[in-house]
Amino acid sequence: MTTRKRLRPAARIAALTRGAVLAVAIGATTATTAQATALEFRLDTGSDATLEAALEQGSLLASTMADAQAAASAQDLIAAAQADYQRLIAVLYEAGYFGAELSISIDGQEAVTLSPLDQTQRIDEITITVDTGPAYRFAEATIGPLPETGGSPALPDGFASGAVAGTGVIRAAAKAGVAAWRAAGHPLARIAAQDITAQHQDRTLSARLTLEAGPAAEIAQPVIGGNMATRSTRIAQIAGLRQGNRYDPKAIDQAAARLRDSGTFRSVVISEGEALDANGQLPIDIQVSEQLPRRYGLGAEVSTAEGLTLSGFWMHRNLLGGAENLRIDAEIAGLAGETGGIDTSIDATLRRPATFTSKIDMVASAEVMRLDEPDFRLDQMRAGVSFERDVTATLTLSAGVSAATARATEGATNRSYSFAALPIKGLWEQRDDRNTPREGLFGTLEITPFAGVGDLDSGLRLFSEGRYYLPLGDAARPQVMALRAQAGAVMGADATRAPTDYLFHSGGSDTVRGQPYQALGADLAGDGASGAGAFAALSAEWRQPLNGAFGMVGFADIGWVAADVTGSNSDWHAGAGLGLRYDTGIGPIRLDVATPLGKGETGKGVSLYVGIGQAF
């Protein structure tokens, strides 16, 4: 008969106390070693699949035998089996089984009786047998005292009388209680005492946790280190942690995020002291590691209709020693294209974090461009400054002022004008990955009042875009339904007297694939000149992973334009197609083949698009 190692009640309580610091090992799958040793888990019929998976993941034997890079010896397997007693008991305690019986048999002998020093040359079979017995339930589950301000902390639902007991839910309750006191300004809060008792006769557990809040505290002057080219005063300004501020763990996290978002630092670590200093303040240590200051990049995109687009940028991450980011972008588009001429642009953007306050970035920019499009030509110079603030972790708002001067040719009409604008923008970012999103939301809303001089009216431009990503199927390699909606309008100014680049077109890779680039506009003067005062577009993609790094996409796009928001002189068109993706790790290489569809079939044949990154 196979012997089983069953913990005595006192040993169970000791193991439960230790369980507060035990962690479940990362995933492993059952496999054979080079010796073809078989590993088998035998659980009683009452065990569920979740527990079985947790036991296999927590087993050192399973991970040792699954490691294809290292052939385990018999001595390695014996040592791993003996370590598995405590590891698997910890997993069982995590799930609330405090009376389980566990046996680990190696070729018929209990592993605990073997010596790793024995010169065993071969192991044929290892069997792990678990009889869980019934799960224990909480007879009592209490924690306190808790802070009275800020409402009750979010204790785990399972930490309550009658619920299934487990070391995991006890740890979660302890963490929530300590976090509540820290959020109330007590950085040294801790678990002062714990009374955990198992009643094996009735399969219950009593857990009483006592919290010690410690004193409320302010933070001390942060100590900054690791910086070589960035001034410490600027690091402190970006972090926004000032001596005398009330301790707030969220402020610590936000300070680290602002420093990382500046782009100047490779890593940021903010450490809290373990005791208050002589002034009763909490020491704060900020350690940074700087990025290489300069970076450059090149890009290319090609389509059968729009031709070749070449782009490049040069960046300095720390221009003046205060984490200022200077980026210069240049682009040439329309090379060998079938529509319009060659577009060129060069722009420079300087971003200075922590301007006025730690939460506000200043962005100054200047641009010179020439657009030679199918229905107009535009030469324009623009400069502006704006201020951005992260209102929440997902919402960014910006506002500023810009000025531009331009010369436009639309059909037989030439215009020269200047205008000033007050761009206001909101951005919502809640995607799981910006390069290859699989779930989440993204949205922008732009409101731009403008005042014209010369052949230009004054008015308001609106533009919004929303994207939604829905994962389906396997979580590891999900199919994704991606949706995009775009809408825009120019109000208060006749479209013939609005800034040319403020008007809208549809067609091409950014709106409706399969239709020629900017094929659809509104014929405003009856002379072929286009540029719509109102615009809307919808796009849908079904993204299906294939073998390895390859994926397939099916898509459909539809676009609509009109002379103004009333819908006059409107038209629409659509396109659909298939695409291939190759995941490079930093974004996919994209190949799309599309054809025009439906009533608005202004295009002909098939269009091909090749680029880097998802279409949206």
Side-chain angles (χ1 to χ4, degrees):
M1 181 178 67
T2 301
T3 60
R4 295 181 175 179
K5 182 177 181 182
R6 180 176 178 128
L7 296 180
R8 295 189 301 275
R12 291 181 187 138
I13 301 302
L16 175 59
T17 304
R18 291 193 302 271
V21 296
L22 291 175
V24 176
I26 59 175
T29 55
T30 304
T32 58
T33 67
Q35 299 172 304
T37 301
L39 173 61
E40 180 183 5
F41 281 81
R42 296 179 182 174
L43 278 73
D44 58 62
T45 56
S47 302
D48 58 28
T50 301
L51 178 62
E52 293 179 19
L55 287 168
E56 289 195 22
Q57 288 182 340
S59 169
L60 183 59
L61 266 171
S63 61
T64 299
M65 296 174 68
D67 187 358
Q69 303 300 319
S73 67
Q75 287 70 32
D76 292 333
L77 296 180
I78 292 172
Q82 293 176 344
D84 263 357
Y85 285 106
Q86 185 176 18
R87 294 169 67 96
L88 298 182
I89 286 295
V91 173
L92 291 164
Y93 284 4
E94 188 95 7
Y97 297 102
F98 297 97
E101 295 183 353
L102 171 67
S103 170
I104 303 177
S105 171
I106 298 180
D107 286 341
Q109 299 185 70
E110 193 66 24
V112 73
T113 66
L114 301 177
S115 171
L117 300 180
D118 290 345
Q119 296 302 309
T120 304
Q121 298 299 316
R122 180 180 178 84
I123 294 175
D124 293 318
E125 184 179 47
I126 302 176
T127 304
I128 299 176
T129 305
V130 180
D131 182 1
T132 63
Y136 281 40
R137 294 187 175 272
F138 282 117
E140 181 182 0
T142 60
I143 182 171
L146 295 170
E148 297 179 359
T149 58
S152 300
L155 295 176
D157 293 336
F159 191 70
S161 298
V164 173
T167 55
V169 72
I170 295 173
R171 286 198 300 272
K175 183 179 180 180
V178 170
W181 277 114
R182 284 169 55 81
H186 297 256
L188 304 182
R190 66 185 185 91
I191 297 291
Q194 55 181 338
D195 181 7
I196 303 173
T197 306
Q199 294 82 32
H200 298 286
Q201 297 81 359
D202 52 7
R203 306 280 183 174
T204 60
L205 190 79
S206 296
R208 293 175 289 273
L209 305 179
T210 302
L211 295 169
E212 181 180 299
E218 300 172 343
I219 65 171
Q221 179 66 37
V223 176
I224 297 170
N227 51 313
M228 303 294 289
T230 313
R231 298 188 302 276
S232 295
T233 53
R234 284 290 294 148
I235 294 175
Q237 289 171 358
I238 298 169
L241 300 175
R242 296 185 178 88
Q243 182 177 16
N245 284 2
R246 172 182 170 273
Y247 171 78
D248 183 354
K250 288 185 179 179
I252 304 291
D253 294 340
Q254 291 168 355
R258 283 193 295 271
L259 287 167
R260 295 188 191 101
D261 290 345
S262 71
T264 301
F265 307 106
R266 180 182 296 108
S267 67
V268 177
V269 178
I270 301 182
S271 304
E272 303 175 15
E274 297 181 356
L276 303 184
D277 62 17
N279 298 320
Q281 296 179 325
L282 182 71
I284 298 292
D285 183 75
I286 302 176
Q287 292 293 320
V288 299
S289 175
E290 294 169 336
Q291 298 260 30
L292 293 175
R294 295 173 183 82
R295 180 187 173 194
Y296 66 90
L298 300 172
E301 186 165 342
V302 64
S303 79
T304 52
E306 299 166 37
L308 175 65
T309 297
L310 300 175
S311 61
F313 73 88
W314 176 88
M315 176 194 296
H316 197 299
R317 292 187 172 100
N318 191 16
L319 184 66
L320 304 175
E324 301 88 356
N325 184 301
L326 174 65
R327 175 169 171 145
I328 299 175
D329 288 85
E331 181 178 281
I332 301 176
L335 295 169
E338 297 178 358
T339 57
I342 297 176
D343 301 335
T344 58
S345 66
I346 183 168
D347 65 87
T349 303
L350 177 66
R351 177 180 293 271
R352 184 182 189 273
T355 301
F356 304 133
T357 76
S358 60
K359 298 181 179 180
I360 296 178
D361 291 359
M362 183 192 73
V363 181
S365 61
E367 178 184 33
V368 177
M369 69 175 179
R370 163 170 281 195
L371 300 181
D372 191 355
E373 305 296 6
D375 298 317
F376 70 89
R377 175 181 290 178
L378 174 68
D379 295 295
Q380 179 171 286
M381 294 186 295
R382 181 198 57 81
V385 61
S386 63
F387 299 91
E388 294 183 2
R389 173 169 177 161
D390 291 332
V391 180
T392 68
T394 55
L395 176 63
T396 301
L397 297 179
S398 68
V401 60
S402 66
T405 183
R407 179 176 176 82
T409 301
E410 299 163 311
T413 303
N414 294 319
R415 293 195 296 154
S416 295
Y417 57 82
S418 299
F419 66 96
L422 299 173
I424 302 169
K425 183 176 181 179
L427 185 148
W428 182 271
E429 176 62 82
Q430 205 176 27
R431 295 174 292 183
D432 62 334
D433 186 290
R434 296 188 181 187
N435 294 321
T436 308
R438 292 178 174 84
E439 62 178 321
L441 293 166
F442 170 84
T444 62
L445 174 62
E446 300 175 17
I447 303 173
T448 310
F450 60 90
V453 177
D455 295 332
L456 200 67
D457 290 339
S458 298
L460 178 72
R461 185 182 193 267
L462 300 174
F463 178 77
S464 64
E465 179 176 343
R467 305 176 188 177
Y468 176 62
Y469 304 89
L470 176 66
L472 300 169
D474 185 2
R477 298 183 62 198
Q479 304 163 354
V480 177
M481 173 61 74
L483 304 173
R484 178 180 65 182
Q486 299 170 283
V490 174
M491 305 173 67
D494 187 274
T496 60
R497 292 178 59 84
T500 300
D501 62 328
Y502 276 23
L503 300 177
F504 302 96
H505 296 80
S506 183
S509 58
D510 292 333
T511 52
V512 179
R513 287 161 286 185
Q515 297 289 349
Y517 177 63
Q518 296 193 353
L520 194 61
D523 189 353
L524 304 175
D527 59 1
S530 70
F535 159 79
L538 294 172
S539 298
E541 285 196 350
W542 178 268
R543 299 173 182 173
Q544 172 69 53
L546 301 176
N547 292 333
F550 287 94
M552 184 178 69
V553 169
F555 59 85
D557 306 325
I558 184 170
W560 172 89
V561 299
D564 52 45
V565 293
T566 67
S568 64
N569 196 19
S570 65
D571 201 357
W572 66 273
H573 61 183
L578 297 173
L580 187 66
R581 304 288 185 267
Y582 180 80
D583 187 6
T584 64
I586 59 174
I589 296 174
R590 180 178 79 253
L591 170 64
D592 288 338
V593 179
T595 186
L597 291 180
K599 168 182 172 293
E601 191 175 332
T602 56
K604 295 180 180 180
V606 173
S607 297
L608 178 69
Y609 306 89
V610 180
I612 298 175
Q614 296 287 1
F616 60 88

